[in-house]
Amino acid sequence: MAPLLPVLLLAAAAASAPAPAVTPIEQEVDLCMSCHGDKDARVELPGGEKLPLFVDRAAFASSIHARDLRCTDCHAGMDEIPHPERNVKSTAEFHAGFRDACKACHFDKYALSQGGVHYKQFAMGNDAAPGCVDCHGAHDVFPAAKPRSRISDTCSGCHPDVADTYLKSVHGKAMADGNPDVPVCTDCHRAHDISDPRVESWIVKTPELCAHCHTDKTMMAKYGLSTAVVDTYLSDFHGVTSTLSRARGSSAERRAPVTALCIDCHGVHDITKTGDARSPVLRANLVKTCRKCHPDASESFPDAWLSHYEPSFAKTPLVYGVKIFYGVFIPFIIGGLVLQVLLHLWRVVVNR
């Protein structure tokens, strides 16, 4: 009997302990779920659509808002029962009424979204343009980038064709394997202030997006990739043209290529390894790629391209020699001209 005494005492203490206090948030959720926990709860709108009112309590309980937010923090004015009548004609109009609901707590993100292409589409009358809850969820809000594949999954809801193409690319395949280094949608397009990818000013700056990863020596070393690709691009004719282009300040949609950019040669969402048989920069496919801008390009036209290699004696001895020659010749000529002018001025002063 003696060994059982502590156990009995603990059991008695547990039985007499007060039940955990129900927080005000839990009380409100309980009250709301007494109606919204009904899977068949819905209301018919004047337009004929039936708006579901069901909220999955299990999903809400696991969301990041469940612990700290009351239902009425987002559904302002709904603390009255029965609820005040809302004069909406369609589900799109109903959901549009919540576009500003997140602003009170996430004003910085909200402010950024005002400059994004999605908000601009909504302002132009496109009710299908996504708001906060379309990407983050409503009652089932979870960290947006955990796992990172969640970001691409979210975007695929409205952009399925782009998502399919991306998943077949070298970036998409690596992302699906859990590689944290490869870009997902928001790394190139940003999250809340998403730019219109059809606008010239955004397109002409895409090399800077690529540079974000492809100049990272630590990251590129993991995959045996050169970090010179951006510098070699920016120093050649195409790169200089893109850097100096007036399109960098243009809000017009791209009608024709300004110059060849990374995406024009390597692809956009369908980027492959450069050695892949489908790669547009593979030697066998290169002339076809060049002909997108240079329709009369001959089979030998791509030979003028150094493949992002910096001229060296080992790889391109002739180009390297010309580079060295001009590296000496041009300063010599300019220096000679300056010296001649100075001597001329000196003679003018002396002869006075």
Side-chain angles (χ1 to χ4, degrees):
M1 183 65 186
L4 290 176
L5 185 57
V7 176
L8 292 174
L9 291 174
L10 285 173
S16 61
V22 177
T23 66
I25 292 178
E26 291 171 331
Q27 289 177 352
E28 183 173 301
V29 171
D30 287 341
L31 177 62
C32 296
M33 293 305 294
S34 63
C35 292
H36 292 278
D38 180 357
K39 291 184 178 179
D40 297 324
R42 63 193 65 222
V43 62
E44 186 168 344
L45 300 175
E49 293 179 87
K50 291 185 178 179
L51 177 70
L53 301 176
F54 170 68
V55 176
D56 187 333
R57 181 159 191 165
F60 175 70
S62 61
S63 82
I64 57 179
H65 285 157
R67 190 180 61 183
D68 301 318
L69 289 184
R70 299 168 182 265
C71 302
T72 50
D73 286 329
C74 298
H75 297 274
M78 292 297 159
D79 47 349
E80 295 181 31
I81 299 177
H83 298 318
E85 203 167 306
R86 295 188 60 186
N87 185 24
V88 293
K89 296 179 181 177
S90 64
T91 54
E93 188 178 349
F94 175 81
H95 290 137
F98 291 97
R99 292 187 75 92
D100 294 341
C102 308
K103 178 172 65 174
C105 297
H106 303 282
F107 184 78
D108 55 339
K109 305 300 184 204
Y110 174 82
L112 283 173
S113 72
Q114 302 299 289
V117 64
H118 291 154
Y119 182 82
K120 290 177 181 175
Q121 284 289 314
F122 175 72
M124 292 167 62
N126 184 353
D127 290 337
C132 306
V133 299
D134 296 302
C135 298
H136 294 279
H139 303 101
D140 54 346
V141 179
F142 299 102
K146 292 183 179 179
R148 274 169 62 79
S149 59
R150 186 191 298 276
I151 297 173
S152 299
D153 290 343
T154 299
C155 300
S156 69
C158 294
H159 305 282
D161 294 339
V162 173
D164 285 345
T165 302
Y166 167 76
L167 287 173
K168 295 172 184 173
S169 74
V170 63
H171 292 151
K173 289 178 180 176
M175 186 275 297
D177 291 337
N179 188 325
D181 293 334
V182 293
V184 293
C185 307
T186 52
D187 291 309
C188 298
H189 296 279
R190 299 198 295 266
H192 300 95
D193 54 340
I194 300 169
S195 297
D196 189 335
R198 298 166 297 184
V199 172
E200 285 186 336
S201 59
W202 188 84
I203 294 172
V204 79
K205 295 175 185 174
T206 49
E208 294 161 29
L209 298 177
C210 303
H212 182 73
C213 292
H214 286 275
T215 56
D216 185 325
K217 292 184 178 179
T218 303
M219 185 188 295
M220 292 300 105
K222 292 167 64 176
Y223 307 101
L225 297 176
S226 169
T227 55
V229 290
V230 176
D231 283 343
T232 54
Y233 168 75
L234 293 176
S235 62
D236 76 9
F237 175 77
H238 292 147
V240 172
T241 305
S242 72
T243 302
L244 301 178
S245 173
R246 292 181 179 178
R248 298 179 77 82
S250 170
S251 59
E253 290 188 15
R254 190 190 200 190
R255 301 295 182 190
V258 175
T259 185
L261 306 165
C262 306
I263 57 176
D264 293 311
C265 297
H266 291 274
V268 183
H269 300 105
D270 56 346
I271 297 171
T272 63
K273 291 183 178 181
T274 55
D276 190 294
R278 299 170 298 154
S279 172
V281 295
L282 188 70
R283 183 62 184 89
N285 304 327
L286 198 52
V287 68
K288 182 180 177 182
T289 302
C290 294
R291 283 173 179 167
K292 288 165 46 180
C293 296
H294 306 280
D296 299 326
S298 65
E299 291 293 332
S300 60
F301 184 83
D303 294 341
W305 183 46
L306 296 178
S307 305
H308 289 303
Y309 287 119
E310 294 176 318
S312 67
F313 183 77
K315 290 184 179 295
T316 51
L318 180 59
V319 176
Y320 180 70
V322 171
K323 179 184 176 183
I324 294 297
F325 171 75
Y326 279 109
V328 175
F329 181 69
I330 292 176
F332 174 76
I333 292 297
I334 294 175
L337 287 172
V338 172
L339 179 62
Q340 183 184 24
V341 170
L342 292 176
L343 290 174
H344 181 72
L345 292 173
W346 176 75
R347 173 53 62 188
V348 171
V349 172
V350 170
N351 290 343
R352 280 187 174 182

